[in-house]
Amino acid sequence: MSAAGDEVIVVLTNLPDLAAASKLAQLLVEQRLAACVNVLAQCSSVYRWQGRIETVIEVPVLIKTVASRYQRIEAAIRANHPYELPEIISVPVVAGLGAYLGWVAAESADE
């Protein structure tokens, strides 16, 4: 299991295309900010932006990491995201396979 204060989290974001999502995933894992990043299939997103309802195709990304990495992940997403206001949401993992959570913590740690 991860150390106290280093709980496993999942960070969610959406990117406009597969190339941008894959680039972000590679960057986060290479920099050990995340143990694993799932680049999901395209989806349709419907939302209100600046008074208009928008419908766009996006690529959801699930980032598995630890809470102590959140600020650096948020900065990396903002620096590599084309949207003015990207979705960046952190969700705590309240339960999971201990060995997997330990792996996430180990792979998200500084070398």
Side-chain angles (χ1 to χ4, degrees), residues 8 18 21 23 28-29 31 35-36 38 43-44 50 53 56 58 64 66 77 83 86 107:
V8 174
L18 182 58
K23 178 182 173 187
L28 294 175
V29 173
Q31 292 184 359
C36 175
N38 298 116
C43 69
S44 178
Q50 298 179 341
I53 295 177
V56 299
E58 296 183 299
K64 275 65 76 73
V66 290
I77 292 170
Y83 293 172
E107 291 301 316

Side-chain angles (χ1 to χ4, degrees), residues 4 12 14 18 40 50 54 63 65 68 71-72 76 78 85 92 95 97 100:
L12 312 168
N14 286 295
L18 182 58
L40 304 179
Q50 298 179 341
E54 303 281 343
I63 303 160
T65 189
S68 64
Q71 292 300 325
R72 290 182 60 195
R78 291 176 59 109
L85 181 62
L97 180 64
Y100 180 79

Side-chain angles (χ1 to χ4, degrees), residues 42-57:
Q42 290 183 339
C43 69
S44 178
S45 295
V46 179
Y47 55 91
R48 186 179 311 276
W49 180 246
Q50 298 179 341
R52 294 192 334 234
I53 295 177
E54 303 281 343
T55 303
V56 299
I57 300 299

